[in-house]
Amino acid sequence: METTRGYEVRPSSVALWTGILAGPVAWALVFELKYALIDYACRNHAHWLFWIFVAGGLLICAFGAFSGWRGMTADASPRARFMGIGGMALSIAFAVFIIAMPIPDLYLRPCE
């Protein structure tokens, strides 16, 4: 463990925090990109662009779940187990949210 300004930095801390934050960040990124680029998609008939955002968000969530699992297995403390399970659960939950976001896109076009 490294000591930075009197604090202990565990090697698993980065992986655990990545697991916790990846899902919400991915959802916010997909949500904002879809909102910001709706006019572009409407003008250029680029409906496929939204599906790329969804796929990218799901990849980020998968990376977050993997990071949470990796951080949990690297450290045997109760804190690491709690954060690892929480990170995996958050990544899975936000992946479900990201999957639910394009359901209206199946029935409506960006210009409607």
Side-chain angles (χ1 to χ4, degrees):
M1 283 187 246
E2 294 180 24
T3 304
T4 305
R5 295 184 185 187
Y7 298 105
E8 293 181 4
V9 178
R10 296 181 175 134
S12 63
S13 291
V14 174
L16 291 169
W17 279 108
T18 301
I20 287 181
L21 295 175
V25 167
W27 175 81
L29 188 66
V30 171
F31 187 77
E32 290 298 323
L33 283 173
K34 284 184 72 169
Y35 180 75
L37 296 176
I38 191 76
D39 288 334
Y40 175 82
C42 182
R43 280 188 308 237
N44 298 315
H45 303 288
H47 308 256
W48 54 270
L49 196 59
F50 296 142
W51 295 102
I52 291 177
F53 298 154
V54 169
L58 291 175
L59 285 174
I60 294 171
C61 286
F63 177 72
F66 177 72
S67 293
W69 174 76
R70 190 180 63 199
M72 181 177 67
T73 57
D75 193 352
S77 68
R79 170 194 164 269
R81 182 170 170 82
F82 176 77
M83 287 182 71
I85 291 172
M88 289 187 292
L90 279 172
S91 293
I92 291 168
F94 277 96
V96 170
F97 298 158
I98 291 171
I99 290 170
M101 284 173 58
I103 291 174
D105 296 338
L106 295 173
Y107 300 104
L108 302 171
R109 298 289 170 209
C111 302
E112 294 179 359

